[in-house]
Amino acid sequence: MSFASTLSSPPLNWTSLDCCHWKGITCDQDGSVTHLLLPSKGLKGGIPPSSLRNLTHLTHLNLSHNSLYGSLETQFFLSLNRLEILDLSYNRLSGELPLSLPSSNIQTVDLSSNLFFGAIPSSFFQQASNLTSFNVSNNTFTGYVPSSICLHSSPSLRLLDFSSNLFSGNLALGLGKCSKLQVFRASHNNLSGLLPEDIYNATKLEEISLPVNSLHGAISDRIANLTNLAILDLYFNHFGGELPPNLGKLSKLKFVILDLNNLEGDLPPSLMNCTNLVELRLGSNNLEGDISILDFSRLSQLTKLDLRNNNFTGTVPVSLYSCKPLKAIALGRNHLKGQIEAEILSLKSLSFLSLGYNRFTNLTGAMKILMSCKSLRALKLTGAFKGEGMPFDDEMVDFDGFQNLQLFSLGHCGLIGQIPVWLSKLKNLEILLLGSNQITGPIPSWLGTLPRLFHIGLSNNQISGEFPKQLCRLPRLIYEPNIASQAEDQYEFELPVFTTINGVNHRFLPKKRSSFPAMIDVSNNNISGYIPAEIGQLQLLQELDLHSNNFSGVIPDQISNLKNLEVLNLFMNHLFGIIPLSLANLNFLREFNVSYNNLEGPIPTGTQLQSFDASAFEGNLKLFGAPLLNECIPNKDMDADNKNNKDEGNGHYQLPWFYIFAVLGFIVGFWVVFGSLVINNTWRYAYFQFIDNLQDRLITICINTMKRRLRD
């Protein structure tokens, strides 16, 4: 009761006289409390040592998934000298660890997902002779991974998890002493050096997970000793050399994840003996060889194959189509050739297909085949089928495919033609990437009718015409998906998406579609006309890129309605007028550029716009104010001009006030003179007499001039 009274939490309903019947409490035969199990009870506050130290018979303490804070005091630990299970995971505990574990009986310690820091004391495991599981993942521990743990607890230890901390340095020898170790994890740290050679002595190992570190060196052929290994996860390190030739001896392997390393050489043929493989991921290495000669048919449980960004040659292996459970195939950025074969339709579960940046041919034939892959959600053909024509509508007659397609990428192919109408039937399409082709014609208005489309990439083409107002009605950019479709939005692609940036660099995006921003990119085309005021309807838009086109008119004030906008690029167009003051309302801009237009007036001050470099405004000779170096005091009321931008955002020019005032002046002056002549008779007679005399004098001068020229 003292323990509960110090915490802020929902009622625990501890009301009966016998505490041994309270929820979360277990007692032994003598009535002493042995178990205090209160996970996910909404407990808030610090752990009070004084209220728990009298529970000297406590063997199980589980306070996980609460909101407890504070540190683990040595006094608290010393009193619990019979503790076997300690689970304080998923709280907000902090500070450094005590010098040692509380009990020689301790078997499981889970301190994961807290805020602990500092090095783990070398004395911490001195009493840990019975320790079987130690998990401190997702904290901020520093120093070395304590490999010495195996020197004190080798008879029992089965799980070690040091993932997602700040450990650094080499992995020291010692893991080989953990003769019963089954799981070793230390991912997402700053580890360097080689894999300790004695790790291959821990023959009970079932999982080695060390991704996202800086480990290097070759994977020893001694790995064949780990005959129980099911998971080998070393992606995003610097491992080099060839894959061990005897890797195929690991018959229990299910997951081989070695992406983003420096591995080289051919795939060992023995790898095809790993008949339990579920995932084989070797992308972004320097592997080579003809993969069409490999026999994948024995990998009857394979669901994901990722060989992207290597130097493989040959064609898509026909034997791959025997792997019926395949959900994801990624072979992009290699040197493969040939055509897409109809046998791919035998993969009924195929959801992710990435074949880009290869030398495939016959795009139209590929589309006719792939559109019948009913499970296909992501199709990436970027950089393949170079210089071919966009599949025409008359070639895709009776089109009724790609009904579940969500991502379609056919950019960087140099394709000729227009955006085909058959794309309008892809009602589940969310991401459309057709940039860096030779597409001509206008942006089709039906693009704005696709109900789920939110990411459009059409840059670096030859698209002409105006920006269609219908594109400003994209349902997904106007309102959030309804509740009925939110469950569908939780779907993740089977593999990370490989994306090209600026045509050169590349990166992996996470599997979640939320990693793709709500975007319209039509930059570097020949689009003309005004930026429609209706653009302000797309309130969920995050990136708008219209640069390097022929847009004219003013920047519509309605852009300020795009409260989620992070990128606004309008440079290299023919825009004029002022920068609307209302753009100050865009609080999330991280990229902004209006350079090389015909803008004028002051840059709105006291806004986020001053945080951008001067290059974002250069090339507008009449624009002034910070961050530009030129300073100028406006000679007219700029608020009036700002109002003009609001009025002209629908595509009309600003009124040319100089010419209007000149015409008005002429009209007033004319009627001052001419009106006087009409009203006053005397002035009128005198005026016409003056005109007659002036006419006679001019005629006389002209006659005399002609006579002199004739004499000469």
Side-chain angles (χ1 to χ4, degrees), residues 292-325:
S292 59
I293 64 176
L294 295 174
D295 185 7
F296 287 87
S297 61
R298 299 186 62 195
L299 307 183
S300 59
Q301 299 183 47
L302 193 65
T303 63
K304 298 180 184 180
L305 175 65
D306 188 354
L307 302 179
R308 286 176 291 188
N309 201 25
N310 281 285
N311 297 307
F312 292 117
T313 58
T315 60
V316 177
V318 177
S319 61
L320 201 58
Y321 304 135
S322 300
C323 305
K324 301 305 180 185

mmCIF file of all heavy atoms in Angstrom, residues 292-325:
data_model
loop_
_atom_site.group_PDB
_atom_site.id
_atom_site.type_symbol
_atom_site.label_atom_id
_atom_site.label_comp_id
_atom_site.label_asym_id
_atom_site.label_seq_id
_atom_site.Cartn_x
_atom_site.Cartn_y
_atom_site.Cartn_z
ATOM 1 N N SER A 292 21.372 -15.941 -63.806
ATOM 2 C CA SER A 292 20.411 -16.792 -64.519
ATOM 3 C C SER A 292 20.793 -18.265 -64.443
ATOM 4 O O SER A 292 19.967 -19.140 -64.703
ATOM 5 C CB SER A 292 20.292 -16.348 -65.978
ATOM 6 O OG SER A 292 21.548 -16.428 -66.631
ATOM 7 N N ILE A 293 22.052 -18.564 -64.065
ATOM 8 C CA ILE A 293 22.472 -19.960 -63.984
ATOM 9 C C ILE A 293 22.214 -20.546 -62.599
ATOM 10 O O ILE A 293 22.394 -21.753 -62.391
ATOM 11 C CB ILE A 293 23.971 -20.111 -64.334
ATOM 12 C CG1 ILE A 293 24.840 -19.370 -63.301
ATOM 13 C CG2 ILE A 293 24.246 -19.603 -65.746
ATOM 14 C CD1 ILE A 293 26.341 -19.565 -63.523
ATOM 15 N N LEU A 294 21.804 -19.719 -61.634
ATOM 16 C CA LEU A 294 21.515 -20.210 -60.291
ATOM 17 C C LEU A 294 20.150 -20.881 -60.267
ATOM 18 O O LEU A 294 19.210 -20.432 -60.934
ATOM 19 C CB LEU A 294 21.556 -19.066 -59.274
ATOM 20 C CG LEU A 294 22.919 -18.391 -59.079
ATOM 21 C CD1 LEU A 294 22.779 -17.184 -58.149
ATOM 22 C CD2 LEU A 294 23.933 -19.378 -58.494
ATOM 23 N N ASP A 295 20.054 -21.941 -59.485
ATOM 24 C CA ASP A 295 18.801 -22.697 -59.393
ATOM 25 C C ASP A 295 18.079 -22.322 -58.105
ATOM 26 O O ASP A 295 18.397 -22.823 -57.026
ATOM 27 C CB ASP A 295 19.090 -24.199 -59.421
ATOM 28 C CG ASP A 295 17.808 -25.025 -59.444
ATOM 29 O OD1 ASP A 295 16.719 -24.424 -59.566
ATOM 30 O OD2 ASP A 295 17.905 -26.259 -59.333
ATOM 31 N N PHE A 296 17.105 -21.417 -58.226
ATOM 32 C CA PHE A 296 16.333 -20.970 -57.069
ATOM 33 C C PHE A 296 15.177 -21.914 -56.741
ATOM 34 O O PHE A 296 14.488 -21.713 -55.748
ATOM 35 C CB PHE A 296 15.757 -19.570 -57.338
ATOM 36 C CG PHE A 296 16.784 -18.475 -57.302
ATOM 37 C CD1 PHE A 296 17.501 -18.138 -58.438
ATOM 38 C CD2 PHE A 296 17.027 -17.771 -56.132
ATOM 39 C CE1 PHE A 296 18.441 -17.125 -58.415
ATOM 40 C CE2 PHE A 296 17.973 -16.756 -56.102
ATOM 41 C CZ PHE A 296 18.688 -16.425 -57.245
ATOM 42 N N SER A 297 14.985 -22.914 -57.550
ATOM 43 C CA SER A 297 13.779 -23.734 -57.415
ATOM 44 C C SER A 297 13.725 -24.483 -56.086
ATOM 45 O O SER A 297 12.641 -24.857 -55.628
ATOM 46 C CB SER A 297 13.669 -24.723 -58.575
ATOM 47 O OG SER A 297 14.787 -25.601 -58.587
ATOM 48 N N ARG A 298 14.876 -24.694 -55.442
ATOM 49 C CA ARG A 298 14.896 -25.409 -54.170
ATOM 50 C C ARG A 298 14.480 -24.515 -53.003
ATOM 51 O O ARG A 298 14.202 -25.012 -51.911
ATOM 52 C CB ARG A 298 16.286 -25.993 -53.909
ATOM 53 C CG ARG A 298 16.736 -27.011 -54.963
ATOM 54 C CD ARG A 298 18.040 -27.646 -54.554
ATOM 55 N NE ARG A 298 17.892 -28.387 -53.299
ATOM 56 C CZ ARG A 298 18.921 -28.800 -52.560
ATOM 57 N NH1 ARG A 298 20.164 -28.546 -52.958
ATOM 58 N NH2 ARG A 298 18.723 -29.461 -51.442
ATOM 59 N N LEU A 299 14.458 -23.210 -53.230
ATOM 60 C CA LEU A 299 14.108 -22.275 -52.144
ATOM 61 C C LEU A 299 12.589 -22.130 -52.099
ATOM 62 O O LEU A 299 12.021 -21.083 -52.407
ATOM 63 C CB LEU A 299 14.792 -20.925 -52.360
ATOM 64 C CG LEU A 299 16.316 -20.977 -52.561
ATOM 65 C CD1 LEU A 299 16.877 -19.569 -52.685
ATOM 66 C CD2 LEU A 299 16.994 -21.737 -51.424
ATOM 67 N N SER A 300 11.947 -23.179 -51.704
ATOM 68 C CA SER A 300 10.479 -23.253 -51.799
ATOM 69 C C SER A 300 9.755 -22.378 -50.783
ATOM 70 O O SER A 300 8.538 -22.226 -50.871
ATOM 71 C CB SER A 300 10.031 -24.702 -51.631
ATOM 72 O OG SER A 300 10.457 -25.216 -50.377
ATOM 73 N N GLN A 301 10.490 -21.797 -49.797
ATOM 74 C CA GLN A 301 9.860 -20.951 -48.801
ATOM 75 C C GLN A 301 10.227 -19.474 -48.958
ATOM 76 O O GLN A 301 9.841 -18.647 -48.145
ATOM 77 C CB GLN A 301 10.244 -21.414 -47.390
ATOM 78 C CG GLN A 301 9.812 -22.844 -47.084
ATOM 79 C CD GLN A 301 10.136 -23.248 -45.655
ATOM 80 O OE1 GLN A 301 9.865 -22.508 -44.716
ATOM 81 N NE2 GLN A 301 10.713 -24.429 -45.487
ATOM 82 N N LEU A 302 10.963 -19.158 -50.005
ATOM 83 C CA LEU A 302 11.454 -17.792 -50.196
ATOM 84 C C LEU A 302 10.301 -16.829 -50.462
ATOM 85 O O LEU A 302 9.480 -17.052 -51.351
ATOM 86 C CB LEU A 302 12.436 -17.763 -51.369
ATOM 87 C CG LEU A 302 13.273 -16.499 -51.528
ATOM 88 C CD1 LEU A 302 14.215 -16.317 -50.347
ATOM 89 C CD2 LEU A 302 14.070 -16.546 -52.834
ATOM 90 N N THR A 303 10.250 -15.756 -49.671
ATOM 91 C CA THR A 303 9.215 -14.730 -49.857
ATOM 92 C C THR A 303 9.786 -13.403 -50.332
ATOM 93 O O THR A 303 9.077 -12.624 -50.971
ATOM 94 C CB THR A 303 8.436 -14.493 -48.556
ATOM 95 O OG1 THR A 303 9.325 -13.987 -47.552
ATOM 96 C CG2 THR A 303 7.773 -15.761 -48.071
ATOM 97 N N LYS A 304 11.084 -13.122 -50.022
ATOM 98 C CA LYS A 304 11.676 -11.843 -50.420
ATOM 99 C C LYS A 304 13.081 -12.078 -50.958
ATOM 100 O O LYS A 304 13.913 -12.713 -50.299
ATOM 101 C CB LYS A 304 11.740 -10.881 -49.228
ATOM 102 C CG LYS A 304 10.388 -10.502 -48.650
ATOM 103 C CD LYS A 304 10.534 -9.550 -47.471
ATOM 104 C CE LYS A 304 9.173 -9.259 -46.845
ATOM 105 N NZ LYS A 304 9.286 -8.322 -45.680
ATOM 106 N N LEU A 305 13.337 -11.541 -52.146
ATOM 107 C CA LEU A 305 14.663 -11.614 -52.766
ATOM 108 C C LEU A 305 15.079 -10.206 -53.164
ATOM 109 O O LEU A 305 14.426 -9.565 -53.985
ATOM 110 C CB LEU A 305 14.633 -12.517 -54.001
ATOM 111 C CG LEU A 305 15.944 -12.575 -54.797
ATOM 112 C CD1 LEU A 305 17.053 -13.220 -53.975
ATOM 113 C CD2 LEU A 305 15.750 -13.315 -56.116
ATOM 114 N N ASP A 306 16.166 -9.728 -52.576
ATOM 115 C CA ASP A 306 16.644 -8.379 -52.868
ATOM 116 C C ASP A 306 18.110 -8.450 -53.276
ATOM 117 O O ASP A 306 18.992 -8.677 -52.447
ATOM 118 C CB ASP A 306 16.479 -7.477 -51.643
ATOM 119 C CG ASP A 306 16.771 -6.011 -51.960
ATOM 120 O OD1 ASP A 306 17.213 -5.720 -53.093
ATOM 121 O OD2 ASP A 306 16.552 -5.155 -51.079
ATOM 122 N N LEU A 307 18.362 -8.265 -54.576
ATOM 123 C CA LEU A 307 19.725 -8.254 -55.123
ATOM 124 C C LEU A 307 20.029 -6.928 -55.810
ATOM 125 O O LEU A 307 20.923 -6.841 -56.655
ATOM 126 C CB LEU A 307 19.893 -9.409 -56.122
ATOM 127 C CG LEU A 307 19.624 -10.823 -55.594
ATOM 128 C CD1 LEU A 307 19.810 -11.847 -56.707
ATOM 129 C CD2 LEU A 307 20.511 -11.154 -54.408
ATOM 130 N N ARG A 308 19.317 -5.880 -55.443
ATOM 131 C CA ARG A 308 19.470 -4.575 -56.088
ATOM 132 C C ARG A 308 20.877 -3.994 -55.934
ATOM 133 O O ARG A 308 21.583 -4.256 -54.962
ATOM 134 C CB ARG A 308 18.479 -3.570 -55.482
ATOM 135 C CG ARG A 308 17.052 -3.744 -55.890
ATOM 136 C CD ARG A 308 16.126 -2.787 -55.171
ATOM 137 N NE ARG A 308 16.008 -3.080 -53.754
ATOM 138 C CZ ARG A 308 15.137 -2.486 -52.949
ATOM 139 N NH1 ARG A 308 14.317 -1.569 -53.407
ATOM 140 N NH2 ARG A 308 15.077 -2.810 -51.666
ATOM 141 N N ASN A 309 21.230 -3.157 -56.902
ATOM 142 C CA ASN A 309 22.438 -2.335 -56.818
ATOM 143 C C ASN A 309 23.698 -3.183 -56.649
ATOM 144 O O ASN A 309 24.479 -3.000 -55.727
ATOM 145 C CB ASN A 309 22.307 -1.332 -55.664
ATOM 146 C CG ASN A 309 23.240 -0.143 -55.832
ATOM 147 O OD1 ASN A 309 23.641 0.196 -56.936
ATOM 148 N ND2 ASN A 309 23.596 0.480 -54.729
ATOM 149 N N ASN A 310 23.853 -4.119 -57.555
ATOM 150 C CA ASN A 310 25.058 -4.934 -57.627
ATOM 151 C C ASN A 310 25.531 -4.938 -59.082
ATOM 152 O O ASN A 310 25.192 -4.029 -59.850
ATOM 153 C CB ASN A 310 24.775 -6.343 -57.112
ATOM 154 C CG ASN A 310 24.764 -6.420 -55.599
ATOM 155 O OD1 ASN A 310 25.809 -6.378 -54.952
ATOM 156 N ND2 ASN A 310 23.573 -6.540 -55.017
ATOM 157 N N ASN A 311 26.291 -5.932 -59.451
ATOM 158 C CA ASN A 311 26.814 -6.020 -60.823
ATOM 159 C C ASN A 311 26.438 -7.349 -61.468
ATOM 160 O O ASN A 311 27.204 -7.901 -62.271
ATOM 161 C CB ASN A 311 28.345 -5.855 -60.815
ATOM 162 C CG ASN A 311 28.765 -4.495 -60.306
ATOM 163 O OD1 ASN A 311 28.301 -3.464 -60.793
ATOM 164 N ND2 ASN A 311 29.634 -4.479 -59.299
ATOM 165 N N PHE A 312 25.278 -7.855 -61.145
ATOM 166 C CA PHE A 312 24.841 -9.129 -61.696
ATOM 167 C C PHE A 312 24.528 -8.993 -63.188
ATOM 168 O O PHE A 312 24.074 -7.932 -63.651
ATOM 169 C CB PHE A 312 23.610 -9.647 -60.957
ATOM 170 C CG PHE A 312 23.889 -10.053 -59.537
ATOM 171 C CD1 PHE A 312 23.290 -9.394 -58.479
ATOM 172 C CD2 PHE A 312 24.759 -11.095 -59.258
ATOM 173 C CE1 PHE A 312 23.549 -9.765 -57.170
ATOM 174 C CE2 PHE A 312 25.029 -11.474 -57.952
ATOM 175 C CZ PHE A 312 24.423 -10.810 -56.903
ATOM 176 N N THR A 313 24.753 -10.067 -63.909
ATOM 177 C CA THR A 313 24.462 -10.108 -65.346
ATOM 178 C C THR A 313 23.480 -11.247 -65.629
ATOM 179 O O THR A 313 23.058 -11.968 -64.734
ATOM 180 C CB THR A 313 25.751 -10.324 -66.146
ATOM 181 O OG1 THR A 313 26.374 -11.547 -65.709
ATOM 182 C CG2 THR A 313 26.720 -9.168 -65.942
ATOM 183 N N GLY A 314 23.141 -11.388 -66.910
ATOM 184 C CA GLY A 314 22.229 -12.449 -67.315
ATOM 185 C C GLY A 314 20.798 -11.959 -67.394
ATOM 186 O O GLY A 314 20.528 -10.765 -67.539
ATOM 187 N N THR A 315 19.882 -12.867 -67.315
ATOM 188 C CA THR A 315 18.454 -12.565 -67.375
ATOM 189 C C THR A 315 17.808 -12.921 -66.038
ATOM 190 O O THR A 315 18.448 -13.509 -65.160
ATOM 191 C CB THR A 315 17.780 -13.368 -68.497
ATOM 192 O OG1 THR A 315 17.966 -14.765 -68.237
ATOM 193 C CG2 THR A 315 18.387 -13.023 -69.859
ATOM 194 N N VAL A 316 16.543 -12.557 -65.889
ATOM 195 C CA VAL A 316 15.817 -12.955 -64.684
ATOM 196 C C VAL A 316 15.746 -14.478 -64.660
ATOM 197 O O VAL A 316 15.272 -15.090 -65.620
ATOM 198 C CB VAL A 316 14.398 -12.344 -64.669
ATOM 199 C CG1 VAL A 316 13.639 -12.828 -63.426
ATOM 200 C CG2 VAL A 316 14.467 -10.822 -64.696
ATOM 201 N N PRO A 317 16.241 -15.121 -63.587
ATOM 202 C CA PRO A 317 16.259 -16.596 -63.571
ATOM 203 C C PRO A 317 14.859 -17.188 -63.701
ATOM 204 O O PRO A 317 13.959 -16.839 -62.932
ATOM 205 C CB PRO A 317 16.863 -16.919 -62.197
ATOM 206 C CG PRO A 317 17.575 -15.677 -61.772
ATOM 207 C CD PRO A 317 16.815 -14.538 -62.373
ATOM 208 N N VAL A 318 14.686 -18.071 -64.656
ATOM 209 C CA VAL A 318 13.391 -18.727 -64.833
ATOM 210 C C VAL A 318 13.048 -19.562 -63.608
ATOM 211 O O VAL A 318 11.884 -19.686 -63.217
ATOM 212 C CB VAL A 318 13.406 -19.602 -66.105
ATOM 213 C CG1 VAL A 318 12.094 -20.355 -66.256
ATOM 214 C CG2 VAL A 318 13.677 -18.743 -67.337
ATOM 215 N N SER A 319 14.077 -20.103 -62.947
ATOM 216 C CA SER A 319 13.848 -20.935 -61.761
ATOM 217 C C SER A 319 13.218 -20.145 -60.629
ATOM 218 O O SER A 319 12.620 -20.730 -59.718
ATOM 219 C CB SER A 319 15.174 -21.548 -61.290
ATOM 220 O OG SER A 319 16.104 -20.522 -60.937
ATOM 221 N N LEU A 320 13.328 -18.825 -60.696
ATOM 222 C CA LEU A 320 12.754 -17.989 -59.635
ATOM 223 C C LEU A 320 11.237 -18.122 -59.591
ATOM 224 O O LEU A 320 10.615 -17.969 -58.534
ATOM 225 C CB LEU A 320 13.155 -16.530 -59.884
ATOM 226 C CG LEU A 320 13.117 -15.561 -58.698
ATOM 227 C CD1 LEU A 320 14.009 -16.045 -57.571
ATOM 228 C CD2 LEU A 320 13.540 -14.176 -59.139
ATOM 229 N N TYR A 321 10.638 -18.418 -60.736
ATOM 230 C CA TYR A 321 9.181 -18.513 -60.809
ATOM 231 C C TYR A 321 8.651 -19.791 -60.152
ATOM 232 O O TYR A 321 7.437 -19.971 -60.041
ATOM 233 C CB TYR A 321 8.726 -18.425 -62.261
ATOM 234 C CG TYR A 321 9.220 -17.168 -62.963
ATOM 235 C CD1 TYR A 321 9.760 -17.225 -64.246
ATOM 236 C CD2 TYR A 321 9.162 -15.937 -62.326
ATOM 237 C CE1 TYR A 321 10.227 -16.082 -64.878
ATOM 238 C CE2 TYR A 321 9.635 -14.785 -62.945
ATOM 239 C CZ TYR A 321 10.168 -14.861 -64.224
ATOM 240 O OH TYR A 321 10.632 -13.729 -64.842
ATOM 241 N N SER A 322 9.582 -20.645 -59.691
ATOM 242 C CA SER A 322 9.172 -21.833 -58.939
ATOM 243 C C SER A 322 8.973 -21.533 -57.459
ATOM 244 O O SER A 322 8.421 -22.367 -56.735
ATOM 245 C CB SER A 322 10.227 -22.942 -59.092
ATOM 246 O OG SER A 322 10.395 -23.300 -60.446
ATOM 247 N N CYS A 323 9.441 -20.366 -57.025
ATOM 248 C CA CYS A 323 9.310 -19.976 -55.613
ATOM 249 C C CYS A 323 7.933 -19.358 -55.411
ATOM 250 O O CYS A 323 7.775 -18.124 -55.377
ATOM 251 C CB CYS A 323 10.409 -19.006 -55.222
ATOM 252 S SG CYS A 323 12.082 -19.613 -55.560
ATOM 253 N N LYS A 324 6.937 -20.179 -55.283
ATOM 254 C CA LYS A 324 5.543 -19.718 -55.278
ATOM 255 C C LYS A 324 5.212 -18.720 -54.171
ATOM 256 O O LYS A 324 4.351 -17.867 -54.368
ATOM 257 C CB LYS A 324 4.597 -20.919 -55.192
ATOM 258 C CG LYS A 324 4.751 -21.924 -56.338
ATOM 259 C CD LYS A 324 4.599 -21.252 -57.695
ATOM 260 C CE LYS A 324 4.749 -22.288 -58.818
ATOM 261 N NZ LYS A 324 4.734 -21.653 -60.162
ATOM 262 N N PRO A 325 5.850 -18.777 -52.983
ATOM 263 C CA PRO A 325 5.480 -17.812 -51.938
ATOM 264 C C PRO A 325 6.043 -16.398 -52.154
ATOM 265 O O PRO A 325 5.761 -15.512 -51.348
ATOM 266 C CB PRO A 325 6.075 -18.418 -50.657
ATOM 267 C CG PRO A 325 6.425 -19.817 -50.988
ATOM 268 C CD PRO A 325 6.736 -19.827 -52.449
#
